[in-house]
Amino acid sequence: MMSTETRGLLTLSELTREELQGLVARSREFFLDRTAHDRPLRDKLVGVLFAKTSTRTRTAFTSGVVRLGGFPVTYGPNDLQTATGESIRDTGRIFGSMLDALVARTSGPLEELREMAGAGRLPVINAMAAEEHPTQGVCDLATMLLQFGSLDGISVLYLGEGNNTASALAHGISHLPRCHVTFATPAGYGLDPQVLDTAAKRAAESGGSVREVHDMDDLPKDVDVVYTTRWQTTGTVKADPDWRERFRPFHIDERLLGRWPEAVFMHDLPAHRGEEVSGAVLDGPRSIAWKQAEMKLTSAMAVLEWVAAGNEPQTERS
């Protein structure tokens, strides 16, 4: 079994700057060479639990386990006894007695994953909880590193809902020196205030910034990346029946993207063309969303390797 001291990855806020940078750099290395490893999951069993729909993340982690030499044990939304009332704690104890690690996207809060990890004394990787999508954050930063060669001084504009992807991006950017991110969201649909405050304070300590605005007239002048996500976050329902009208000004089309002629476009997918982004932008020459999607695999591999090594990011082998 893996060491019980290995804590997995639940939120980027709990990583050190060095840990996050190591994961991001390793993801880039895997993108350039998916065989640059020594099968660190050899003879390991990794549970892959997805209680919510997933295309990229589920495929990335399942294939990532195999590529690193491990064996995935997969579960769908109705495969566990939690569906009949068994507690998260009891489920975690069973997982810990049979598996070496767990990748989980559940319908519950992040605290449930933390409880499962504690009860099972096994590393748990958060493949998306209500509050945060940390492996997406690793993927996003790795995509930027691949695109620009360095993350130093990167400026990101995120438009749309302050959802779990936005929270991961806020925590991720806040770890990096001299980096900036502006979240432009409809009023009432911004980031969790605690996440925003924590990330803003950490960013300020290293010469960066994390801020939120609700008016399209307050967007930054200089931007390297324009980022959006689907307006309807997976597994959530908005109470306001007219919410789409509040989101409409944050739609990204060629005219808006033209305000930053050197910026690239990113999207965590799936996308709804005509809502958060036009097809001309998503499929256009400045979009790196499809490369970003491909890097979901290499980021999953980086996180899995990190967990297998007891949270020690490995360097590229010569």
Side-chain angles (χ1 to χ4, degrees), residues 107-146:
S107 57
L110 177 59
E111 193 56 37
E112 288 189 350
L113 297 182
R114 198 179 299 279
E115 183 179 5
M116 192 176 292
R121 302 182 66 203
L122 85 165
V124 173
I125 297 170
N126 174 11
M128 193 179 79
E131 298 92 336
E132 188 180 339
H133 196 350
T135 61
Q136 181 67 54
V138 173
C139 171
D140 294 342
L141 295 177
T143 304
M144 295 178 204
L145 178 62
L146 183 69

Side-chain angles (χ1 to χ4, degrees), residues 78-101:
N78 299 310
D79 290 343
L80 301 178
Q81 293 294 356
T82 50
T84 65
E86 184 170 37
S87 71
I88 293 295
R89 180 171 295 275
D90 288 351
T91 302
R93 289 183 65 178
I94 298 302
F95 279 153
S97 70
M98 300 182 184
L99 300 173
D100 296 299

